[in-house]
Amino acid sequence: MVFLYEGKLNDLDISIAQRIEKNPEIVTDNNIFRAADILEISASKLTKYCQKIGLKGFKEIKYKLDEELIRTQLQRQADHCDFKITSILDQKNHKHLIAIPKLLASSSKIIIVSNSSFQALTSYLAIKLRLDYHQAAINYTFDQDFSFEYLDDQVLTILVDETSQVTNFSSKWYRPNQNYIHITAKALKQQADYYPLSIINSEIKLPFDAAVMLIFSWLMAEMSKK
């Protein structure tokens, strides 16, 4: 839980972060006064710690921890999954699966874009790419302006777009000769520099975010082999 350690923390702050990371339920299952009592600090000190790591207060850290626990559960499910990645993707997408890990590894920057519903997931994936794979990765939502991110060459954009609300070539951030991966539940046709990963209905029933996590787990594992 990287966010617990972000900011200028003293020894007591780090101790608070370590205890919360070891037992998140201290925060998720209690109000601020009970959580502070368990941590053996005051409620005001707990609020100050939250602010030091860039949060507004206790309610926000409770929300972020809930999200983190959900992501961890999805990651664990993906890590222990014993079926092939091709079983959840449109067969037409299989032929370019080999190319995508190379794109991830060779890109100067990776931008992951989603709607607000999947922002917590894409934030986790960007952090994972930065910390574990040393990639310059960042996440945005579709309504944000991030056109300045395309000043570099070899930028890879990953669209996490369940309902295919994005039309790639008319999007305000589209740039010729950049690469795009489009993860969606709709079948889409591959084009130059554009790699759709269409999650299909199959015997394996997965929610969209779990399927996205599974796809990224596979891609990252393949990327590490390159």
Side-chain angles (χ1 to χ4, degrees):
M1 298 183 182
V2 178
F3 78 93
L4 292 172
Y5 299 92
E6 294 178 342
K8 296 181 180 180
L9 306 183
N10 57 33
D11 290 343
L12 177 58
D13 295 324
I14 292 173
S15 175
I16 294 170
Q18 290 173 335
R19 291 190 65 182
I20 293 174
E21 182 176 32
K22 185 177 180 180
N23 186 9
E25 290 77 13
I26 291 174
V27 170
T28 59
D29 292 355
N30 295 290
N31 62 36
I32 186 172
F33 300 103
R34 177 56 181 157
D37 186 52
I38 295 171
L39 292 168
E40 300 177 302
I41 57 175
S42 66
S44 62
K45 177 59 186 175
L46 182 52
T47 298
K48 288 179 181 178
Y49 162 74
C50 295
Q51 293 169 344
K52 280 188 175 183
I53 61 173
L55 305 178
K56 294 179 180 179
F58 185 77
K59 287 184 178 180
E60 191 168 358
I61 194 174
K62 181 190 284 279
Y63 175 75
K64 284 185 71 70
L65 282 168
D66 282 334
E67 288 185 329
E68 187 72 24
L69 292 172
I70 292 171
R71 286 197 297 270
T72 300
Q73 183 180 3
L74 290 173
Q75 180 67 61
R76 190 179 298 115
Q77 291 172 354
D79 289 343
H80 291 85
C81 189
D82 59 359
F83 59 86
K84 295 181 179 179
I85 192 66
T86 52
S87 66
I88 64 169
L89 294 176
D90 188 330
Q91 188 175 2
K92 295 177 181 178
N93 301 158
H94 295 177
K95 61 184 179 182
H96 61 261
L97 276 174
I98 296 174
I100 293 177
K102 294 179 181 178
L103 290 178
L104 284 166
S106 62
S107 296
S108 63
K109 183 186 299 178
I110 299 171
I111 305 172
I112 310 176
V113 197
S114 71
N115 62 28
S116 58
S117 298
F118 297 109
Q119 187 175 16
L121 173 61
T122 56
S123 176
Y124 167 78
L125 294 171
I127 291 172
K128 184 82 170 173
L129 284 165
R130 290 199 301 269
L131 295 184
D132 293 356
Y133 297 90
H134 309 292
Q135 298 292 319
I138 192 166
N139 69 293
Y140 288 93
T141 56
F142 291 133
D143 58 351
Q144 292 179 299
D145 180 12
F146 48 90
S147 56
F148 60 90
E149 296 285 5
Y150 293 99
L151 297 176
D152 299 333
D153 293 327
Q154 294 183 304
V155 176
L156 174 64
T157 304
I158 303 175
L159 307 170
V160 178
D161 179 25
E162 181 175 12
T163 59
S164 299
Q165 70 184 72
V166 173
T167 302
N168 58 309
F169 294 112
S170 65
S171 299
K172 60 184 178 182
W173 60 83
Y174 178 74
R175 298 293 184 277
N177 302 319
Q178 301 286 18
N179 291 302
Y180 292 80
I181 297 171
H182 197 165
I183 304 176
T184 179
K186 181 180 178 181
L188 298 170
K189 183 179 180 180
Q190 183 179 355
Q191 304 178 48
D193 304 322
Y194 173 69
Y195 301 84
L197 293 178
S198 303
I199 298 169
I200 60 173
N201 293 323
S202 66
E203 295 180 1
I204 303 165
K205 302 299 181 183
L206 287 175
F208 183 75
D209 52 357
V212 171
M213 181 68 79
L214 184 62
I215 290 169
F216 266 86
S217 296
W218 185 88
L219 291 174
M220 290 178 186
E222 291 298 307
M223 182 175 64
S224 65
K225 297 177 184 177
K226 305 302 178 184

